[in-house]
Amino acid sequence: MQILANVLGQEIYISNKPDRCCYGAYSIARYGVDGEFITFEFDGKVAYPQKELVDKYNQKFIKYSKKFMDK
């Protein structure tokens, strides 16, 4: 998850409960029914992006983009 946080440059929230994605699906479905999201208390940890690695991944992506995507 730390690598993902660095590549995306975003905080990644990691729940301690394996079924937490079901609660998210329920919240989205509930929004479709009555226009209201259900919120839950966060019970996990957070992987924060490390600025120096975010910069390195961005530089590598720019190099990759120039080589393969600009054709």
Side-chain angles (χ1 to χ4, degrees):
M1 289 299 160
Q2 184 62 56
I3 293 171
L4 189 58
N6 293 334
V7 170
L8 297 176
Q10 299 288 322
E11 297 173 354
I12 304 293
Y13 295 88
I14 307 159
S15 179
N16 290 330
K17 297 184 179 173
D19 60 349
R20 190 53 72 181
C21 63
C22 296
Y23 289 104
Y26 168 72
S27 178
I28 293 169
R30 180 72 184 262
Y31 181 78
V33 172
D34 62 13
E36 189 176 311
F37 282 112
I38 304 298
T39 58
F40 304 96
E41 185 176 322
F42 181 67
D43 61 346
K45 58 184 177 176
V46 180
Y48 294 98
Q50 299 165 321
K51 173 113 175 75
E52 64 280 354
L53 293 177
V54 171
D55 293 340
K56 283 184 182 182
Y57 281 116
N58 285 336
Q59 290 170 2
K60 289 183 182 289
F61 181 72
I62 290 168
K63 185 178 178 181
Y64 167 84
S65 296
K66 287 180 181 177
K67 185 173 183 178
F68 293 107
M69 297 179 147
D70 290 343
K71 291 184 177 182

